Amino acid sequence: MDAFSVSIANALLEPGMKRLRMYLIAGCYAFFQFFMPVIGWICVRTVIQLFSSFQLLVPWIALVLLSYIGGKMLWSSFHPENDSEDARNLSLAVLFIQGIATSIDALSVGFTISDYNLFQTLAASFNIAAVTFVICMAGLKIGKTVGNCFCGKAEFFGGIILIAIGLEIFIRSIL
């Protein structure tokens, strides 16, 4: 659902987004949703002691990354004169950061499937990726539609959504 919300935020910024770009964005999020449980599974099977201390940092990392990106979007919405057209476009680096931030909690899925064999782990991760791809495409289509309605305020709302997702991940981890 985090990737779905971020997809909506990205499409709000670019309501004229082309279909190929939508596939790239949804594919990036799906890749990270596939990759993170596999990494979690590998960590449990190899370095559980080291990784258990890192698990406490996962919500903080998501909060910082999403708040940073969302904060930049909010800043840009109030200071459009400092923003070039290229800066408003979703760069590959920002897309990867969003992919990591929205999937970092999927590392814990790798912990819960640690008794699976490699084939089962890959199959489960592929299912997660496929669902993520579909819901992100839906989020992008919703965001494009809504983005056309909100025109000038899309960047503001997108930034708010990203910060809210970061806070939600953080708060959910401490409750």
Side-chain angles (χ1 to χ4, degrees), residues 3 9 11 18 29 39 43 55 61 77 107 134 138 146 150 155-156 168 170:
K18 304 278 187 229
Y29 297 150
I39 293 299
C43 287
Q55 186 179 7
I61 293 169
S77 72
L107 281 169
V134 170
V146 173
F150 287 114
E155 195 164 22
F156 174 79
E168 184 262 336
F170 179 74

Side-chain angles (χ1 to χ4, degrees), residues 58-114:
V58 168
W60 287 95
I61 293 169
L63 175 66
V64 168
L65 290 175
L66 289 173
S67 294
Y68 173 73
I69 296 168
K72 281 182 66 173
M73 289 170 65
L74 284 173
W75 178 264
S76 302
S77 72
F78 290 111
H79 300 88
E81 66 279 354
N82 297 336
D83 222 9
S84 69
E85 188 62 33
D86 293 336
R88 288 188 166 199
N89 289 336
L90 181 65
S91 70
L92 195 56
V94 170
L95 182 60
F96 276 21
I97 290 170
Q98 289 177 348
I100 292 167
T102 58
S103 65
I104 200 161
D105 56 339
L107 281 169
S108 61
V109 172
F111 303 154
T112 63
I113 61 173
S114 63

Side-chain angles (χ1 to χ4, degrees), residues 26-80:
C28 179
Y29 297 150
F31 168 76
F32 281 107
Q33 289 289 339
F34 169 84
F35 188 65
M36 290 296 191
V38 173
I39 293 299
W41 179 82
I42 290 169
C43 287
V44 167
R45 294 223 165 201
T46 57
V47 287
I48 188 64
Q49 295 293 341
L50 175 66
F51 198 72
S52 63
S53 62
F54 175 74
Q55 186 179 7
L56 297 172
L57 298 176
V58 168
W60 287 95
I61 293 169
L63 175 66
V64 168
L65 290 175
L66 289 173
S67 294
Y68 173 73
I69 296 168
K72 281 182 66 173
M73 289 170 65
L74 284 173
W75 178 264
S76 302
S77 72
F78 290 111
H79 300 88

